[in-house]
Amino acid sequence: PAVTTNGTEIRPAAECGPIILCLDTSGSMMGARETIAKAMVLECMRQAKTQQRMCYLYSFSGPGDCMELELKVTGKGVSKLLEFLSGSFHGGTDVDEPFIRALARLNEEEWSNADILLVTDGEIRPPDDAMLTALNLAKETMGLKVHGLLVGEPGAGAEVV
């Protein structure tokens, strides 16, 4: 079982499940924020390979702007990832769709032990209540862990999240 010490969770290696990444590519992420966020995705992929964990990526922006890619650490997989990361939506920010898709993926046996990592600048509209209810239910019933990485200036977006 996972042990939490001083706010840090430590899990035995056998308990580490797949990683589902939700990458914000909205207009507010343009420039350095987006570059840093995409570098984090590359590092997550590298760590997933090292830890023999599956990894899935949702790149999103406004309503209807959501692309997905299963990250495979092969020559073709890395090329597909780099091509995927070269794109951005630069629209508004709607976290509902990537989370709804991630929750659906959790119902697949091979992804049922996944953790979700949201990489954003925090400039998002409040999530839909029904989506939050489903997310909280997955936390309670499946042990889902949702993590966030806030990219940007200190304090930027903090009031919005």
Side-chain angles (χ1 to χ4, degrees):
V3 176
T4 303
T5 308
N6 296 329
T8 302
E9 181 182 74
I10 301 170
R11 295 186 190 186
E15 287 188 27
C16 291
I19 304 168
I20 298 175
L21 298 161
C22 296
L23 173 64
D24 181 353
T25 60
S26 64
S28 63
M29 291 286 288
M30 284 179 65
R33 292 177 182 185
E34 187 171 335
T35 301
I36 291 167
K38 289 178 176 181
M40 282 301 307
V41 167
L42 287 170
E43 178 59 17
C44 283
M45 181 182 178
R46 193 180 74 76
Q47 288 297 321
K49 178 185 185 282
T50 300
Q51 299 170 12
Q52 298 180 336
R53 299 170 76 178
M54 295 185 307
C55 198
Y56 207 91
L57 171 61
Y58 294 98
S59 174
F60 70 95
S61 183
D65 293 333
C66 189
M67 296 187 311
E68 54 188 88
L69 177 71
E70 185 168 356
L71 304 178
K72 303 215 183 260
V73 186
T74 62
K76 274 188 168 180
V78 172
S79 293
K80 282 184 179 180
L81 173 63
L82 293 175
E83 182 181 331
F84 186 87
L85 290 177
S86 70
S88 300
F89 290 111
H90 297 153
T93 311
D94 176 16
V95 297
D96 292 344
E97 187 169 350
F99 273 108
I100 289 167
R101 290 186 188 193
L103 287 168
R105 184 154 304 282
L106 290 173
N107 290 319
E108 299 173 21
E109 186 175 341
E110 62 186 352
W111 294 94
S112 64
N113 191 30
D115 292 330
I116 296 175
L117 174 62
L118 171 64
V119 183
T120 182
D121 59 3
E123 294 183 26
I124 58 177
R125 66 176 181 78
D128 180 70
D129 287 338
M131 190 280 297
L132 284 176
T133 299
L135 197 61
N136 287 328
L137 182 63
K139 288 179 182 179
E140 291 172 22
T141 61
M142 303 174 84
L144 171 65
K145 301 283 185 189
V146 179
H147 308 276
L149 175 64
L150 191 62
V151 180
E153 298 296 318
E159 298 80 29
V160 182
V161 175

